[in-house]
């Protein structure tokens, strides 16, 4: 409850958020926060752990109906994953900018954080996440997408694992801010069309 209430405030204010603001958002007394957390830094670390964790988005992927066509399933997955990574980037970026995550300061797991906002948005993990944890989270996301592809295994030229890896690669690339004058990132529908059907038009059609 405390972390859920704190996340949007952390995204807006970074480390400048106060425990009184968090308490008001959670509908509890400020003293209640300190029964669960040692100090505000511990609350902020819990917010980072929640933002970079994959449990929430994996639950969302699991709710996508396997009765839908594959392109619809993957479009819904792309939207859920994009929202997850945007939230993660916003929270981690706000804490970087306000000095909570910096070289020499441990992340939510006690490991040293990494410099710069870009690290939190490179792929699917935020600052302070060790490489092994990043790899494990990627595999968890890939496996969540594999389950969505599995019903169409026989229709795919590649294994669901390879299709899921390509899907995530395209999705992560889409997150990068384009240079001025560059083409806008692929929409979820365009991304899925390229993944499933390639970029060449079918003979005798406009698609």
């Amino acid at each position: 409850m405390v972390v859920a209430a704190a996340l949007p405030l952390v995204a807006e204010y970074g480390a400048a958020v106060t425990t009184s603001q968090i308490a008001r958002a959670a509908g509890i007394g400020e003293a209640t926060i300190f029964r669960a957390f040692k100090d505000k830094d511990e609350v902020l670390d819990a917010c980072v752990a929640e933002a970079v964790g994959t449990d929430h988005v994996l639950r969302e992927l699991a709710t996508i109906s396997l009765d839908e066509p594959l392109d619809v399933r993957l479009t819904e997955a792309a939207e859920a994953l994009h929202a997850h990574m945007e939230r993660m980037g916003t929270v981690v970026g706000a804490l970087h900018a306000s000095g909570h995550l910096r070289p020499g300061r441990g992340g939510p797991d006690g490991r040293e954080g990494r410099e710069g906002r870009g690290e939190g948005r490179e792929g699917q993990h935020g600052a302070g996440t060790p490489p092994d944890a990043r790899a494990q989270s990627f595999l968890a996301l890939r496996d969540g997408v594999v389950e969505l592809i599995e019903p169409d295994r026989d229709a795919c030229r590649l294994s669901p694992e390879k299709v899921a890896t390509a899907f995530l690669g395209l999705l992560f690339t889409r997150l990068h801010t384009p240079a001025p004058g560059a083409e806008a990132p692929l929409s979820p529908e365009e991304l899925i069309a390229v993944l499933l059907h390639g970029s060449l038009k079918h003979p005798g059609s406009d698609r």
Side-chain angles (χ1 to χ4, degrees):
M1 178 173 65
V2 171
V3 172
L7 276 170
L9 295 172
V10 171
E12 182 175 358
Y13 299 107
V17 68
T18 65
T19 51
S20 61
Q21 287 176 306
I22 295 170
R24 283 196 299 272
I28 59 177
E30 189 173 4
T32 304
I33 293 177
F34 296 110
R35 295 193 190 107
F37 299 92
K38 179 178 65 177
D39 52 27
K40 189 180 80 171
D41 278 349
E42 198 168 273
V43 177
L44 297 180
D45 286 344
C47 288
V48 173
E50 176 66 19
V52 304
T54 57
D55 288 351
H56 178 76
V57 71
L58 288 174
R59 286 194 296 269
E60 287 193 44
L61 294 181
T63 67
I64 296 173
S65 173
L66 298 181
D67 294 329
E68 297 285 357
L70 180 58
D71 59 339
V72 173
R73 277 176 260 151
L74 290 180
T75 297
E76 291 182 18
E79 292 169 349
L81 286 160
H82 183 264
H84 163 68
M85 290 184 282
E86 280 291 307
R87 182 181 73 162
M88 177 179 63
T90 301
V91 170
V92 172
L95 290 174
H96 266 304
S98 55
H100 179 72
L101 296 176
R102 59 186 183 273
R105 188 186 188 283
D109 59 353
R111 300 286 291 271
E112 183 175 337
R114 294 178 182 262
E115 177 64 37
R117 181 173 180 171
E119 180 68 17
R121 297 180 63 107
E122 186 73 27
Q124 70 279 16
H125 308 284
T129 308
D132 285 350
R134 290 199 295 272
Q136 290 168 8
S137 293
F138 177 85
L139 289 175
L141 293 177
R142 188 205 64 178
D143 290 347
V145 176
V146 165
E147 291 184 14
L148 298 175
I149 300 170
E150 188 63 42
D152 289 88
R153 173 184 285 272
D154 292 342
C156 295
R157 288 196 295 266
L158 300 175
S159 69
E161 290 77 13
K162 288 185 176 181
V163 176
T165 298
F167 167 79
L168 292 173
L170 284 170
L171 186 62
F172 297 156
T173 301
R174 178 179 176 270
L175 287 179
H176 291 288
T177 303
E183 288 286 333
L186 295 175
S187 68
E189 292 79 11
E190 290 171 333
L191 185 151
I192 301 309
V194 169
L195 176 70
L196 297 182
H197 308 296
S199 57
L200 296 179
K201 294 181 179 179
H202 294 293
S205 77
D206 294 329
R207 299 185 62 182

